[in-house]
Amino acid sequence: MPIRHSIQQRNNEQQHAKEGELPMAVTLNLRQAIVQKVKNKPDEDIVDMIEGSIDYDERALPGLGVLFEMIWKASSSEARQQLVDTLQSKLKSDQAAK
């Protein structure tokens, strides 16, 4: 890798860090690591992982986000709308409860 490119990449990563974002390479590696963790797992293990992450430590949220991204990309427009409707319903009921 040319030195100029390496310095520019490092500067970009530092700028992302200042803005509170992860550099693109880190983000892709995180996605890949999460996919590898659940790949070839039986359904019960995936359910346990999801349920064990809900209402728990916020460090699990990126993993759930990656799984949701996979579901979203593989869903039909009707299924996506159902997800949005479910979310909207939950948000309204949580707001009404306050």
Side-chain angles (χ1 to χ4, degrees), residues 77-95:
S77 60
E78 293 83 14
R80 288 179 177 184
Q81 188 58 53
Q82 179 62 43
L83 290 167
V84 171
D85 292 345
T86 301
L87 179 59
Q88 289 286 12
S89 176
K90 178 64 176 154
L91 291 169
K92 288 177 186 172
S93 69
D94 284 355
Q95 186 66 18

Side-chain angles (χ1 to χ4, degrees), residues 23-73:
M24 183 62 81
V26 173
T27 304
L28 292 176
N29 290 337
L30 179 61
R31 277 191 178 100
Q32 292 168 354
I34 291 164
V35 169
Q36 289 303 313
K37 183 174 181 175
V38 298
K39 194 175 186 177
N40 300 320
K41 295 275 185 183
D43 292 353
E44 301 84 32
D45 288 356
I46 294 174
V47 169
D48 288 345
M49 185 189 78
I50 292 169
E51 290 179 351
S53 298
I54 295 173
D55 293 329
Y56 187 62
D57 190 346
E58 289 188 2
R59 290 179 289 180
L61 293 177
L64 292 175
V66 170
L67 297 179
F68 182 78
E69 179 182 59
M70 293 171 68
I71 292 166
W72 186 265
K73 286 180 176 180

Side-chain angles (χ1 to χ4, degrees), residues 1-12:
M1 174 181 326
I3 293 174
R4 173 180 276 161
H5 179 67
S6 177
I7 292 170
Q8 183 179 13
Q9 181 178 3
R10 184 176 58 225
N11 290 341
N12 288 341

